[in-house]
Amino acid sequence: MSTPVTVSPTADVEESPFRRFLVQFRENRLAMAGLILMILLAIPAVAAPWIAPQNPYDIGSLDILDSQMPPGSVADVSGITYWLGTDSQARDVLSAVLYGMRTSLLVAFLSVTVSLLIGSTVGLCAAYFGGWLDALLMRIVDIQLSFPAILVALVMLSVLGQGLDKVIIALIVVQWAYFARTVRGTALVERNREYVLAARCLSLGWRRIIARHLLPNCLPPLIVIATIDLANAIALEATLSFLGVGVPVTQPSLGMLIANGFEFMLSGQYWISFFPGIALALAIVGINLVGDHLRDILNPRNAQ
Amino acid sequence: MNFVKTRLAASAAFLLMGALSLSAADLKIGVKSEPSSLDPQFHVLVPNMQVTFAMFDPLVMMDPKLVPQPALAASWKATSDTVWEFSLRKDAKFSDGSPLTADDVVFTFDRIPKVPNSPTAFTLFTRQIAKVEAADAHTVRITTKQPYPLLVTDIANLPILSKAAASGPAPEGKTTVEFNRGEGLVGTGPFKFVSWQKGADLVLERNPNYWGKPAAWDKVIYRPMTNPAARAAALLSGDIDMMEDPPTTDLEQFKTNPKLSVAEAPGTRIVYIALDQKGEPSPGIPGQGNKNPLMDKRVREALSLAIDRKAIAERVMGGVAVATGDLLPEPMFGAVKARQAAPAVDTAKAKALLAEAGYPNGFQITLGTPNGRYVNDARVAQTIAAMWTRAGVKAEVAAAAPPVFFKSRDNFEYSAYLAAWGNSTGEMSTTLRSLVGTREPSKGSGTSNGGRYSNPELDALLDKASATMDDKARKELLQKADEMVLSDYGIIPVHFEVPVWALRKGLSYAARADQYTLPQDVTSAK
Amino acid sequence: MRKKDRQVPVFIINRLFQAIGVILVMSVLVFVGLYLIGDPTSMLVSPEATEIERQALRKALGLDQSIWVQYLTFLGNAVHGDFGRSFLTGQPALQLIVERMPATVELVVVAMTFSVVVGVPLGILAGLRPKAPSSKAIMTGSILGFSLPNFWIGLMLIMLFAVYLGILPASARGETVNVGPVALSILTLDGWRHLALPALTLGLAKAALIIRVTRAATREVLPMDYIKFARAKGLRPSRILNVHLLKNILIPIVTVAGLEFGQAIAFAVVTESVFSWPGMGKLLIDSIITLDRPVVVAYLVMMVFFLVILNLVIDILYMAIDPSAREKVRD
């Protein structure tokens, strides 16, 4: 993360804002716990191919005779211990959770990154150029935000069909507007400050003004929104997959794993749904704790 | 607060009253889905048919094993190759008390082609019929367009309406919308209509004018519950008395539960794998240049040998499937005895055959499957893909929502796909003609033959069988045709889905092979 | 933005035009998308049907025409309030939705009531003593409540109450009583038992939000002069709370609850799927999966209108209550 290189009048000259940020962040134990949780979940998810006991996508390695075993069972042939049991396909639930987390994080991360890029571009352009462009873009944003995210995503997926790429597209469509509105709001304030007006008088290129002056000031709210949106994206993807319109069954995310296990839950085979569910909840809560605290310290209104 | 309390008390009292009235002989059935319409001639679909047959009788009714039995027609005979005479029961009355006459039957057949917007029209069962006439008040004469041995099984799907009740100003008489409101629902069946709340309960009550043995139930309630686990929970808690399709995962538990009983019928729905045999190349097999390995019979045999059908039936299907090597179960017309048992899995031999055919390292293939159309469909496909992969054919599963799957299948985008076929006639001819007959959609041949297997010899045999009125000769022709396809591995049977019901203890159900849930066949042990 | 939009009638007309624009864009999307993605007749037609029968069905459903002709036909009929018939059941699509509406509305009303009854007191509590451990617990709980996916909460409730304790049913609607043409669950005990888990699932997330809004509003109102004045006058704390505080935090709470009502109707899609609740959200999911286009389109058009009108009503009410808000409300 780069330090904002601005001459923003609010910047504290004595202490780097980043250091102050770190100190403030560490003060909140809950947020630290969330951060640690995030890291603890992200590392194994990213490293899943190397640390998972089994590759759940390598279907040749699955032995149907090992299906629906309770946690702690030992495989007949290979002798692996299924610490969290197996599902109906004889997939090791622990491995499936690790890979599923990977899929969920991938979808969330990609969709948030792209939405952030699109959203901030739109927001900055709207704020800088104003006029009819601003009116048009913000009208679109407002209309979109007045519809529930789940509905927009459902429409997109019913139109696009299933697939990992399609879920990502649907999530981008849902999320970009939040970024656009936030960035525009912040940038609008900055745009009217003297230093920007001065820069414009010097007829510096608009690209330069946006990149050097407007964007850095929009970073704090962007970081907050991106963090919280990461959690929202994970939750929304899981919901869509649970409803059967998200990722394909052969590429299970956490939501899909939970959906697959739902049927078995009422017959007492709780582990197929329960463990992916716990992983999902921990990921979302962890990210939200961090995001919530970030909002508190990065929001200038709360800073005093 | 007080208001809430009174209200709660009132509703509790209300419930108590409800509970008292329910203690009479009521049957609550948790069904997979509600009918798409109450019009008995709107949609050929299991949820519709099973409700219809509780209120209406056909001329000839299939028994639970799909053998035709007299219903409204006490007897019938073919007076020539194309003319049949059905004598109606003289004691049959409609639920409004009026007697059944041949005019009602003629009206019923007349209305079928006039019902608009039908998703699957009942003309499916009348396309061989040239005319239907009343010979006298209690005799119906049906003339077919050509010699047609399956007439009796076809008309077993046609419930007889009351001309008086189902007439109306529209060309078809009472419209589908009117039927859905409960109008014109006057039949000769054991139950009659009371009310229907869409998405919730459909209620019937005993028909006092029924000509047969009076039904055991005062009231029957069909409650749609799509989620199998939810149906199971409702049965366990006593909310319902009977459920369709208990989740395969719960079946073991249900069988040992002293509060429940389970009824299984012989399955007729065959789950199979179709293989692309149209020509070369095949869309789902990359890396083989222009070659389609599936054109080689040895490869097809290897793919069949690699499947452990017993393990699938037991583990994936929870025992509600019968592993098989045939397309129709044994007592039915045209099934081959020697093919009934599932071929044993033999991965070593499969590998050897692949090597012999020139694929010592196997090849890659995509196996298509619908997700949510058949029992555990995607799971079965994933397991088969795993088994193929173990035999060296690296398989990947492409699972899609059913309408998407069928579109891809009809566009021939799959090299291999899993699907199922429900036989409602009890005869091999319909199965073979649809699944492996040379694809000629205008003739109704090969309509589900997405692998485009084509064998002129087989087509000739089927044509010959369909014009053969003698049962024994026809049976032999069909067995020969069946054997021909299976020894060519033109299609790979996997298992029969076994229709299952779970009931509370003390109830028993004459489980039907056609998967219909008929309340008149549910009996109480007392 | 522009001055003339601030006049109320223009602003209403503008909103309605927007709604129509959204409906046009969305219906084109759904039409073309569902057309490309699959063949709805494949689910309907018997596999034994001949090609002629298939064609006849396509013709009967109007699917034999080009997608644009189909769309224009739809538009022409939609203007007269006819959204076509469901491919699957042959029933008018709008009627199918309207039949399912009471179940959804009942669920959402119960859930929203729960969320306000639980959310407002907890939110005030957290706002009055922001530093107390109980307040921190409430706020952390509310983070969980609105960040955890709805279906996950439902799943856990099923696991606890239906599987582990076995005291509440996990699905369906239970006994209903007809009040006129509308079937209601809330009049029977069995209905309440079935309603409990889905309503709780939907209500918990909304309660979390109400808590946050109430807390924020409370903290904003507390330092105000009239509260200080009331305290100085020696009024009992309960009276300050009931009269001065509640009255002033009511506006944001009502606004948010109103907006959330719309969200909850949409989110009922998820809750209804988890609990097989026979509402219109469940119908939407089933229709999306079976590509029953008329039902999907009719549902979406209805939702757009409903949400636009809801937003409009809230804005107008807001302006009526608080004249200074007129400057803030944008069209």
Side-chain angles (χ1 to χ4, degrees), chain A residues 59 64 89, chain B residues 271-273 303 306-309 312 316 367 377-391 393 395 397 417-418 492-495:
Chain A
I59 51 176
I64 192 64
Q89 292 294 312
Chain B
V271 172
Y272 63 88
I273 303 277
L303 292 178
I307 302 173
D308 187 347
R309 294 171 172 80
I312 293 175
V316 186
L367 174 64
D377 42 16
R379 256 183 243 157
V380 172
Q382 288 183 69
T383 309
I384 289 175
M387 290 166 175
W388 282 356
T389 305
R390 292 182 153 209
V393 176
V397 172
Y417 67 83
L418 176 137
I492 301 180
V494 180
H495 58 243

Side-chain angles (χ1 to χ4, degrees), chain B residues 57-79:
Chain B
D57 292 312
L59 292 176
V60 179
M61 181 75 189
M62 292 291 190
D63 72 5
K65 295 205 166 69
L66 299 192
V67 181
Q69 304 291 346
L72 290 182
S75 66
W76 59 89
K77 59 176 190 286
T79 54

Side-chain angles (χ1 to χ4, degrees), chain A residues 41-101:
Chain A
L41 288 167
I43 291 176
V46 172
W50 298 280
I51 60 165
Q54 186 194 57
N55 178 357
Y57 297 133
D58 176 14
I59 51 176
S61 72
L62 307 180
D63 185 346
I64 192 64
L65 295 177
D66 284 353
S67 64
Q68 297 162 45
M69 289 175 125
S73 305
V74 179
D76 289 339
V77 184
S78 58
I80 327 172
T81 307
Y82 299 122
W83 293 109
L84 301 184
T86 60
D87 71 1
S88 62
Q89 292 294 312
R91 270 192 296 245
D92 173 35
V93 172
L94 175 61
S95 309
V97 166
L98 291 176
Y99 274 84
M101 178 75 85

